[in-house]
Amino acid sequence: MADILVRNVTAITVDPKRRVIERAWIAISGDRISAIGNEGDAEPTGAREIIDGTGMVAMPGLIDSHSHAGHGLVRNAGAGVDTWFEACEEIYARGSTPAFWRAEARMTQLERLRGGITTGMTLLGGGADIYRTDDPTFGDAHSGATAESGLRTFMAVGPGRPPFPKTYRQFSETGQSRDVTVSFERQLEVSETLIDRWNDLLNRGTGVCLVMPVYYATQVADADARQQVVAMGEAVMDLRRRKNVLFTQDGHRDGSIALARDLGVLGEFALLGHSVDLTEEDFAALKETGASIIHNPSAIMSVYGRCPVPELIEAGINVCLGSDAAAPDRGYDMFRHMAQCMHYHRRHFRDPAYLPPGKTIEMATIDAARALGLESELGSLETGKKADIVLVDMRKPHLYPPVMPVTRIAHFANAADVDTVIVNGKVLMRGRKTDHLDADDILADAAEQAALAFERVGLTHLLEEPQEFWRNARQPLPAS
């Protein structure tokens, strides 16, 4: 007997045979998929809830392998990329409170849920390597919101970039502020505390992994600088081994992956973001260590350089997809990022045969689950796996005629087409209604906390759209 029976769907399973099952049914018992069949198989009887998916595609919950907490409340600030990064640094280090991180996480999870993202990897900050690990309260606020949403999110925490100590500003409940200095050791201590409190992705939905900045050869050319970075890497890896958690980095390019291998921070546990303009030595380091690449085709870094996804896949390296959201020109719509991924590489090779639709779906499902070490639990519709299922309403003009469902999903679907989301066997959205989340309250809280953060650091002028956005066909290129 099943708890939930989803009927009359076209199931894009992404299972080992990559089956697409017409007129399928999916039975859910507890938090697992208990059976999958089609109209020729006897359906389970006595299900307490039946979901009629006529006209819909059922697919695994989407996995967003790289994004940034905080960005959602800063996403549209400033008139240029450099200005936007500066705003992130100011607000994250000196203008944010736990209420800011909670409000941003609530809004992000609502956006993700409505777009069919059931699992994500989110850095607690970013920009110029500003991770809010001076005190556990910031990570507590973020993970608490994740737990309330019902989705699964790995929160990436760790130390920033030298020199240390770093200065952060903390605010009391009455609005009084004080500056605190934070050492590398303190940031690792806070990271360990957050791992102990929140690392339970499959059951509570709140995973924790470690992050540290990417380093380039010029930054460690000096012997003392290299020794310092090596020591920090050893400390982060020691904590990673003790807690058996994942490790991620944001911004690899042009030889930095080979350097990361030499610094001792790569392995099958590592997910490396962006990774543009890679060298032959970078490819060798990836094959040697088994690290995965996170491709962010809509990100600014993919404008500055190219992640060689087809070449990586051909070399046997696992590549997954990330949104790098939400900033400053993109959101959490993974369907958009799938389509962007295909066009990005087809334009490079001037060949529309590159990256077929099915492969881009794999990059946002089973390949991402593999990068997270969870391919036996997530990433496909298979009996025994976690019941993370998305129903996409295909009864729309931009998704017709009703043939070739894989192509329609990868090329034409968007976040607004998601009708139903099931995570861990629980229906979190049905008919685009999210009864357990108060959208009006979430949005009002987000607007209030964003305004307060900009006001605290004196950057409210960055919220006014400049006239230059109307006049010029080409804006000056920002400094790289």
Side-chain angles (χ1 to χ4, degrees):
M1 181 181 296
D3 294 315
I4 300 174
L5 180 65
V6 180
R7 307 177 66 241
N8 301 324
V9 295
T10 297
I12 300 177
T13 65
V14 202
D15 67 4
K17 295 182 179 179
R18 301 301 189 258
R19 292 182 300 161
V20 176
I21 307 173
E22 300 286 350
R23 295 174 291 280
W25 54 261
I26 305 169
I28 300 170
S29 299
D31 62 352
R32 303 275 173 178
I33 297 172
S34 54
I36 300 175
N38 63 17
E39 61 181 353
D41 302 314
E43 293 181 352
T45 59
R48 62 173 177 79
E49 182 174 4
I50 295 177
I51 298 176
D52 183 4
T54 299
M56 298 190 192
V57 159
M59 62 185 299
L62 297 173
I63 300 175
D64 178 2
S65 299
H66 180 82
S67 65
H68 294 263
H71 281 13
L73 300 190
V74 193
R75 74 198 311 176
N76 54 356
V81 174
D82 288 346
T83 303
W84 181 80
F85 275 116
E86 291 166 5
C88 288
E89 181 173 352
E90 278 295 307
I91 288 174
Y92 295 169
R94 288 170 283 280
S96 63
T97 64
F100 170 95
W101 296 99
R102 173 173 166 75
E104 196 277 343
R106 293 174 73 208
M107 186 181 73
T108 290
Q109 296 301 77
L110 179 61
E111 183 178 351
R112 279 179 158 163
L113 174 55
R114 288 183 171 179
I117 298 171
T118 58
T119 302
M121 172 81 80
T122 299
L123 282 63
L124 191 67
D129 297 314
I130 302 296
Y131 303 114
R132 202 67 211 244
T133 46
D134 51 307
D135 190 274
T137 56
F138 303 98
D140 289 342
H142 175 88
S143 291
T146 286
E148 291 173 9
S149 74
L151 303 181
R152 308 183 195 275
T153 301
F154 278 104
M155 176 179 63
V157 293
R161 191 181 300 277
F164 290 97
K166 292 189 171 298
T167 301
Y168 288 82
R169 185 164 296 157
Q170 299 178 358
F171 293 84
S172 68
E173 292 185 3
T174 60
Q176 299 299 309
S177 66
R178 67 185 184 100
D179 287 350
V180 298
T181 57
V182 183
S183 65
F184 170 84
E185 291 76 16
R186 171 60 177 167
Q187 289 195 291
L188 272 195
E189 177 187 323
V190 169
S191 299
E192 182 168 2
T193 296
L194 291 170
I195 291 170
D196 290 340
R197 287 180 183 175
W198 294 106
N199 190 36
D200 188 11
L201 185 85
L202 291 179
N203 297 307
R204 296 173 66 190
T206 57
V208 183
C209 70
L210 289 169
V211 64
M212 68 178 288
V214 171
Y215 291 94
Y216 306 101
T218 55
Q219 296 170 323
V220 294
D222 177 82
D224 290 339
R226 186 181 183 94
Q227 184 177 1
Q228 182 183 27
V229 171
V230 167
M232 290 191 299
E234 288 175 347
V236 171
M237 288 297 104
D238 176 67
L239 177 57
R240 192 210 69 76
R241 283 188 292 270
R242 287 193 289 110
K243 298 300 179 179
N244 191 30
V245 295
L246 296 171
F247 174 72
T248 191
Q249 288 188 297
D250 177 24
H252 274 288
R253 68 180 307 162
D254 193 20
S256 64
I257 292 177
L259 177 59
R261 174 201 58 194
D262 297 342
L263 295 173
V265 297
L266 294 193
E268 292 183 355
F269 52 79
L271 297 83
L272 310 179
H274 297 289
S275 304
V276 302
D277 299 338
L278 301 185
T279 66
E280 290 185 9
E281 191 64 19
D282 288 329
F283 271 73
L286 290 166
K287 295 181 72 172
E288 177 185 332
T289 62
S292 292
I293 293 296
I294 311 165
H295 179 37
N296 303 282
S298 306
I300 292 168
M301 200 162 181
S302 286
V303 175
Y304 293 152
R306 175 179 170 267
C307 179
V309 170
E311 298 95 317
L312 288 163
I313 294 171
E314 183 68 22
I317 295 161
N318 188 51
V319 184
C320 53
L321 203 61
S323 67
D324 199 32
D329 56 356
R330 56 197 173 274
Y332 288 98
D333 187 341
M334 291 298 290
F335 298 95
R336 167 188 171 180
H337 302 307
M338 285 186 228
Q340 176 83 342
C341 177
M342 288 184 285
H343 287 288
Y344 185 87
H345 298 284
R346 292 172 181 182
R347 173 63 183 85
H348 173 79
F349 288 103
R350 291 172 172 78
D351 185 343
Y354 275 84
L355 279 179
K359 186 57 191 176
T360 60
I361 292 175
E362 291 176 6
M363 290 168 65
T365 54
I366 192 63
D367 293 342
R370 185 174 298 110
L372 298 173
L374 295 172
E375 67 270 30
S376 65
E377 298 280 355
L378 307 174
S380 62
L381 302 181
E382 297 181 67
T383 299
K385 282 196 170 184
K386 287 283 191 177
D388 289 10
I389 304 169
V390 169
L391 302 187
V392 182
D393 185 356
M394 309 296 282
R395 297 165 296 185
K396 297 183 177 183
H398 64 280
L399 292 172
Y400 256 58
V403 295
M404 299 178 68
V406 172
T407 296
R408 290 154 68 207
I409 286 288
H411 277 293
F412 308 122
N414 62 63
D417 298 324
V418 175
D419 177 89
T420 300
V421 177
I422 302 169
V423 179
N424 228 30
K426 297 179 180 178
V427 180
L428 301 184
M429 184 170 78
R430 180 103 179 258
R432 294 200 63 77
K433 294 181 179 180
T434 55
D435 293 338
H436 69 300
L437 299 177
D438 186 334
D440 290 338
D441 180 67
I442 288 172
L443 295 178
D445 188 26
E448 178 183 2
Q449 292 303 323
L452 288 171
F454 277 89
E455 184 177 341
R456 291 188 193 106
V457 295
L459 293 178
T460 55
H461 63 283
L462 294 181
L463 302 177
E464 299 175 3
E465 198 156 57
Q467 284 295 312
E468 286 76 7
F469 280 8
W470 293 99
R471 287 198 286 263
N472 297 328
R474 178 183 180 274
Q475 295 294 313
L477 286 174
S480 60

